[in-house]
Amino acid sequence: MKVTVLFTGPIKSTTGVREMEMEAGTVKELIDSLNMKFGEKFKEEVKKTKILVNGYPVQFYEGLCKRLKDGDTVDFLQNWRIPNKESGVSNSESE
Amino acid sequence: MKKSLESILIKTKASRNPRGGFMKRYALVNLGNRKIEDYPVSDEEMMEFLGGKGLAAKILMKELPAHADPLGEDNILIFNTGVLTGTGTPTSGRFNATSKSPLTGGIGHCNCGGDFGTFLKKAGFDGIIIKGVSDSPVYIQIEDGKIEILDASQLWGLDTEKTQEALGEGGGKLVIGPAGENLVRFACIVSGHRVLGRVGLGAVMGSKYLKAVVARGNKKIPVGDQEKFREIIRVWTKILRENAITGYQLPSFGTAGLVNMTNATHTLPTKNFSRGSDPRAYELSGEFMAENMLVKNIGCRFCPIRCGRWIELDGKQTKGPEYETIALMGANLENFDLRKVARLSNLCDRLGMDTISAGGVIGYAMEATEKGLIKSDMKFGNVENLERVLEDIAYRRGLGDDMAEGSMRLAEKYGGREFAIHSKGLELPGYEPRRSVGQGLGYATANRGGCHLNSGYVVFFEATGTMQIDPLSKRGKAQLNVLQQNLFDAISSCGSCLFTAYAVLPTGIEEKVPPYSRYSALMAKAIESSGLLLSMQSKLPLGMLKFNIPFVPYPIAISAVTGVDYTLGDFLLAGERVFNLERMFNLREGFSRIDDTLAGRILEEPQNPEDSNTKVPLAKMLDSYYKTRGWDEDGVPQEEILKKLKLDWLIPLRKEIKERIKTASQNRLQIRKRHDETVKKILSLRRGGK
């Protein structure tokens, strides 16, 4: 299924893009593809990220098994946090 | 941390009479007979309500005759401060304004930052109560214990920027612009760069021919215990700086940092609340502003957060727009150009008009035009004519004259009530409640109407915060609203900024529990289920909570400032007292259960047509809410609640309210229709008389 993926908050500095199109059947498949694409840093960051399908948090659906449809929007929304230089995670899009 | 907050608690059993925080002086200024006198307020009242909106509600209840015309000579306007205002505790620049709202007909209050509150205290007063109507334009000058009513003929007609300039440097100022002078029902009061935005208190000033209030002075604000006071400032500032929202998100992106969050969660009002998101919304965000327009942060007095924006616009440096303005003047009108939003926002400030209500009214008018109910050139996505529309409203020209009455009255005249997005007449702010149903309940029950702050801001738990509960579930929402509303009323009353409440909640939970996981869902269920415990809150003897906890610093600061032993229980009880008192005021004015509601679109049209859950299931949540509050099925506080809150003096009024509850709203509407004629009478008299 072709879905639009949006990255908001500090996770955007890990992906380097705000928006992309991806193919995936479930949220888990989508995360696996993104892990492959963006590597270890993304894999760690995504654990601290809210995931919403068409605006609704996946944990209140079937979690990562949530099936995706053509045209769905999946938001990876990360709340801002105090920058931690030791973690090497950039927190700001404007830094 | 050198010392924990517990260690700076005042342990001694002190007197209940405050030794600091208050100047212990209120003044009553009658603009009709020009008489100025002291107004008695006891130490007990000051501590019971903490000053601010709570004490103002008590004064309004005592001094304002029932069913008074909000724009008539009986209405009273109170400017006052909280116990912490001006003392130097973090964010203590806040002050309050209270009156009967000409937009809603219920209690109208605003909490504002900037300098005025501090200078009011330095001038020697905790508050001033303004009554009567002047026969010519005047302003009030408060300086070092002295109050004068001075001629403002030269200021009448000026916008808020020019008025503040004309009043000279220094001190704190409150001014109205053309919208207030022309009795626009959502006219605001401007104070420096800050605004007392909502419920039309600018029109109340305008109706009294009062153009401005200026406070200057050098009096020292007393503090009960200097050593503990210095320590609480240090510790509280550290808490705010170490919190992700108050220490990073708000300083970095301002309140506009919420845009991307509300857009992702479909809670960003779009096209007159017909949607909750739009792919273009990023260009309205705080992140976009930081990358493209931000010059520096600005902040209120004593604030370590500094969420205000100073931006470059049209070759000049100026104030940047806040989240609520961006939501209502931006996405809600399908205007995705942040610079255009900033221009409209600044124009509203100069004209002296609330940006939220203005955006709501224009959104309604655009949809009514689209549906053929109104003839106008207003169209979603077209912002080129909106500067003229705002001026038409402020000067009551053409259709602007009707729009100046607000969306509730506009829809009564032209139809389309289901898409006039307000509660109790106050236009809804920047959170679409169909994806945050608890927030919807908050809007419906907030005493000042559709307000995100008085509502308890449950959207933080449902959408924008780090701890997420199910935004479409009814469970626990009533109880959470009650808890939050009480907390917010206590924070506002004491003179702190509500943004400090972000730091009351733990952040960084998402670092430990993946937010999308089953564990996170289980945690949310636990919070929702705590509703069972929270439903007991109105019955709990909160006064028995004779302790403080480190992450709720307000009662600790109140102890240090006043020298009075003050606990978490006292603080929560004060908030509950204020909320119930304001509810009793609204009931007295003829509001009842049927007014605790929302627009048809929000209650009946699912935001997502494929998901019937994306609308607000208000009726069931409302029953649960009343029960939690200890109110009866009509939404009237039970006698035992009034007794618990030391509001026994309202028991006779409660009996009167119950006797006429069935016809209350109908009677209120009839009275309101009569009062609505006042605008024309005043303006015609002034135009003819000049």
Side-chain angles (χ1 to χ4, degrees):
Chain A
M1 303 298 149
K2 198 171 180 184
V3 298
T4 303
V5 184
L6 296 167
F7 302 102
T8 301
I11 196 165
K12 200 192 114 186
S13 62
T14 307
T15 61
V17 292
R18 190 164 60 82
E19 183 176 342
M20 61 195 298
E21 300 287 319
M22 291 287 285
E23 293 270 354
T26 65
V27 173
K28 186 169 185 321
E29 283 174 30
L30 177 65
I31 292 175
D32 289 343
S33 303
L34 292 169
N35 285 341
M36 292 277 283
K37 191 173 177 69
F38 296 117
E40 278 305 309
K41 199 169 158 189
F42 181 86
K43 207 171 172 178
E44 282 309 304
E45 283 302 302
V46 79
K47 290 178 189 162
K48 303 166 191 167
T49 305
K50 290 184 198 173
I51 303 173
L52 304 106
V53 177
N54 300 326
Y56 192 62
V58 291
Q59 68 268 30
F60 303 121
Y61 284 126
E62 307 86 18
L64 300 186
C65 302
K66 165 72 181 161
R67 298 196 71 78
L68 297 172
K69 304 192 300 288
D70 267 337
D72 279 349
T73 299
V74 184
D75 277 277
F76 288 78
L77 173 64
Q78 207 172 46
N79 283 79
W80 294 102
R81 52 188 191 265
I82 301 284
N84 179 357
K85 283 177 186 146
E86 284 171 19
S87 74
V89 174
S90 172
N91 198 11
S92 169
E93 296 172 359
S94 56
E95 274 174 354
Chain B
M1 207 182 287
K2 230 169 31 181
K3 288 185 190 175
S4 74
L5 278 172
E6 292 106 320
S7 72
I8 57 172
L9 276 173
I10 295 171
K11 298 287 186 191
T12 52
K13 188 72 188 166
S15 148
R16 298 301 288 176
N17 296 333
R19 288 182 279 118
F22 298 106
M23 306 307 286
K24 302 201 177 185
R25 192 174 179 199
Y26 270 72
L28 180 63
V29 179
N30 190 325
L31 296 178
N33 60 17
R34 308 277 168 131
K35 200 174 162 191
I36 299 164
E37 57 193 319
D38 277 19
Y39 181 87
V41 176
S42 68
D43 281 1
E44 196 185 357
E45 284 174 308
M46 289 190 191
M47 287 307 294
E48 272 178 11
F49 292 95
L50 302 174
K53 77 192 287 267
L55 187 50
K58 180 164 188 189
I59 294 169
L60 193 72
M61 187 69 126
K62 275 165 58 182
E63 300 297 330
L64 185 76
H67 311 296
D69 184 346
L71 298 175
E73 63 181 338
D74 286 339
N75 201 7
I76 293 165
L77 179 60
I78 301 156
F79 295 110
N80 71 338
T81 54
V83 56
L84 299 181
T85 304
T87 59
T89 56
T91 77
S92 63
R94 312 293 300 187
F95 67 99
N96 170 72
T98 292
S99 188
K100 182 172 175 178
S101 162
L103 187 63
T104 68
I107 190 126
H109 51 76
C110 291
N111 186 292
C112 184
D115 292 331
F116 180 82
T118 302
F119 278 105
L120 183 58
K121 276 194 177 172
K122 283 176 171 285
F125 295 91
D126 293 304
I128 59 165
I129 303 152
I130 301 162
K131 64 195 297 188
V133 171
S134 172
D135 55 8
S136 63
V138 292
Y139 74 100
I140 295 172
Q141 182 165 281
I142 310 162
E143 195 158 2
D144 288 326
K146 191 179 161 201
I147 298 179
E148 290 175 285
I149 301 169
L150 302 170
D151 176 53
S153 304
Q154 300 301 311
L155 301 175
W156 202 257
L158 297 182
D159 69 25
T160 61
E161 203 173 284
K162 290 195 174 73
T163 307
Q164 295 201 81
E165 274 169 26
L167 289 167
E169 292 287 314
K173 300 178 190 78
L174 305 172
V175 305
I176 59 167
E181 294 178 10
N182 290 309
L183 312 179
V184 173
R185 290 191 188 274
F186 46 92
C188 66
I189 301 169
V190 175
S191 183
H193 292 300
R194 307 299 303 178
V195 174
L196 296 130
R198 310 230 64 198
V199 297
L201 301 189
V204 178
M205 277 180 72
S207 72
K208 295 185 175 304
Y209 245 148
L210 177 63
K211 181 69 177 174
V213 181
V214 185
R216 293 190 178 92
N218 292 302
K219 288 187 189 291
K220 200 171 177 327
I221 301 168
V223 165
D225 188 320
Q226 280 293 348
E227 193 192 339
K228 290 183 167 71
F229 172 70
R230 280 192 293 273
E231 188 57 14
I232 181 70
I233 292 178
R234 191 188 69 76
V235 174
W236 195 354
T237 304
K238 191 169 187 292
I239 290 173
L240 293 170
R241 291 210 166 118
E242 287 177 353
N243 177 275
I245 298 175
T246 53
Y248 188 80
Q249 182 187 313
L250 282 167
S252 302
F253 308 112
T255 52
L258 286 167
V259 170
N260 286 329
M261 296 179 187
T262 52
N263 191 49
T265 52
H266 292 214
T267 53
L268 176 68
T270 307
K271 201 181 180 193
N272 196 33
F273 285 77
S274 60
R275 303 198 307 274
S277 69
D278 191 283
R280 296 163 287 181
Y282 180 80
E283 290 176 18
L284 295 175
S285 68
E287 289 84 339
F288 182 89
M289 200 190 306
E291 286 162 4
N292 297 286
M293 298 159 78
L294 186 67
V295 177
K296 62 177 180 180
N297 297 4
I298 53 173
C300 300
R301 191 172 278 258
F302 308 121
C303 181
I305 303 171
R306 299 180 71 79
C307 65
R309 310 286 88 183
W310 200 247
I311 60 167
E312 185 149 339
L313 183 71
D314 303 329
K316 282 191 260 181
Q317 290 189 4
T318 185
K319 186 179 132 182
E322 300 283 347
Y323 170 74
E324 306 297 332
T325 307
I326 293 170
L328 273 297
M329 289 281 188
N332 198 46
L333 308 182
E334 293 204 309
N335 168 18
F336 294 97
D337 183 332
L338 192 54
R339 287 181 176 81
K340 287 179 181 169
V341 174
R343 282 184 207 113
L344 295 174
S345 171
N346 290 347
L347 178 60
C348 277
D349 282 1
R350 288 198 301 278
L351 294 169
M353 200 189 300
D354 173 26
T355 54
I356 299 177
S357 281
V361 169
I362 295 170
Y364 161 83
M366 284 177 168
E367 188 163 346
T369 303
E370 203 172 74
K371 290 183 158 66
L373 300 172
I374 285 179
K375 277 188 187 167
S376 84
D377 59 354
M378 284 178 273
K379 194 178 168 188
F380 289 109
N382 174 21
V383 286
E384 303 312 318
N385 57 2
L386 289 188
E387 293 191 13
R388 190 214 71 225
V389 169
L390 290 173
E391 286 180 354
D392 284 350
I393 296 171
Y395 291 97
R396 286 183 171 271
R397 294 187 298 229
L399 182 62
D401 190 21
D402 287 337
M403 292 173 75
E405 295 290 286
S407 52
M408 177 178 70
R409 289 170 175 83
L410 199 55
E412 283 170 5
K413 180 167 180 178
Y414 292 98
R417 290 181 198 215
E418 67 283 7
F419 60 85
I421 310 295
H422 68 85
S423 181
K424 297 185 178 71
L426 185 66
E427 287 73 16
L428 258 52
Y431 309 91
E432 218 287 34
R434 290 179 297 177
R435 289 296 192 118
S436 175
V437 301
Q439 181 67 29
L441 174 66
Y443 287 147
T445 54
N447 287 317
R448 75 170 180 174
C451 163
H452 54 299
L453 302 171
N454 198 206
S455 70
Y457 205 65
V458 168
V459 68
F460 178 79
F461 300 93
E462 296 182 315
T464 61
T466 49
M467 295 157 70
Q468 180 142 34
I469 56 175
D470 188 341
L472 301 181
S473 165
K474 300 185 288 289
R475 288 190 67 200
K477 299 297 171 65
Q479 294 76 19
L480 199 53
N481 261 292
V482 171
L483 184 72
Q484 287 281 107
Q485 288 171 340
N486 291 348
L487 179 67
F488 276 25
D489 266 6
I491 296 172
S492 283
S493 293
C494 79
S496 283
C497 176
L498 289 173
F499 287 173
T500 56
Y502 283 125
V504 169
L505 294 162
T507 52
I509 290 168
E510 73 278 15
E511 311 264 335
K512 296 173 184 72
V513 183
Y516 53 77
S517 67
R518 290 284 184 192
Y519 296 112
S520 180
L522 281 173
M523 211 156 69
K525 292 277 176 224
I527 295 171
E528 288 169 13
S529 303
S530 68
L532 195 64
L533 180 67
L534 291 175
S535 66
M536 300 289 289
Q537 58 193 295
S538 67
K539 294 168 191 72
L540 287 173
L542 288 174
M544 300 288 282
L545 302 178
K546 292 197 180 301
F547 57 84
N548 278 310
I549 45 180
F551 50 90
V552 187
Y554 314 96
I556 305 171
I558 293 166
S559 289
V561 165
T562 60
V564 171
D565 227 352
Y566 198 82
T567 64
L568 178 64
D570 295 327
F571 191 66
L572 292 174
L573 203 60
E576 190 181 354
R577 181 177 296 125
V578 175
F579 200 91
N580 277 273
L581 173 57
E582 290 187 348
R583 175 73 178 186
M584 287 297 288
F585 179 89
N586 280 353
L587 289 164
R588 188 189 80 169
E589 297 304 309
F591 285 87
S592 65
R593 183 185 176 116
I594 61 167
D595 300 297
D596 292 340
T597 192
L598 298 164
R601 165 164 295 162
I602 305 297
L603 298 177
E604 286 149 29
E605 292 174 27
Q607 189 198 71
N608 175 2
E610 292 172 12
D611 184 352
S612 62
N613 289 321
T614 55
K615 59 186 181 185
V616 178
L618 186 63
K620 282 185 181 166
M621 289 194 292
L622 202 57
D623 286 339
S624 175
Y625 175 89
Y626 285 178
K627 212 170 166 184
T628 305
R629 279 228 168 265
W631 296 355
D632 66 17
E633 68 287 354
D634 292 320
V636 181
Q638 303 273 16
E639 269 192 38
E640 57 264 34
I641 293 295
L642 296 177
K643 281 181 193 159
K644 182 191 92 170
L645 299 172
K646 294 190 187 169
L647 297 173
D648 317 49
W649 51 282
L650 292 173
I651 290 174
L653 173 65
R654 183 189 183 277
K655 285 183 182 136
E656 283 173 37
I657 288 166
K658 285 299 289 179
E659 279 164 19
R660 52 180 167 78
I661 194 80
K662 300 294 173 211
T663 53
S665 276
Q666 202 182 347
N667 291 342
R668 181 176 63 80
L669 287 177
Q670 282 170 2
I671 294 167
R672 199 196 87 199
K673 295 279 179 200
R674 283 205 306 276
H675 289 165
D676 282 359
E677 298 300 313
T678 305
V679 170
K680 282 191 177 62
K681 282 183 202 158
I682 294 175
L683 293 179
S684 151
L685 194 68
R686 284 183 189 169
R687 282 167 189 155
K690 276 182 130 185

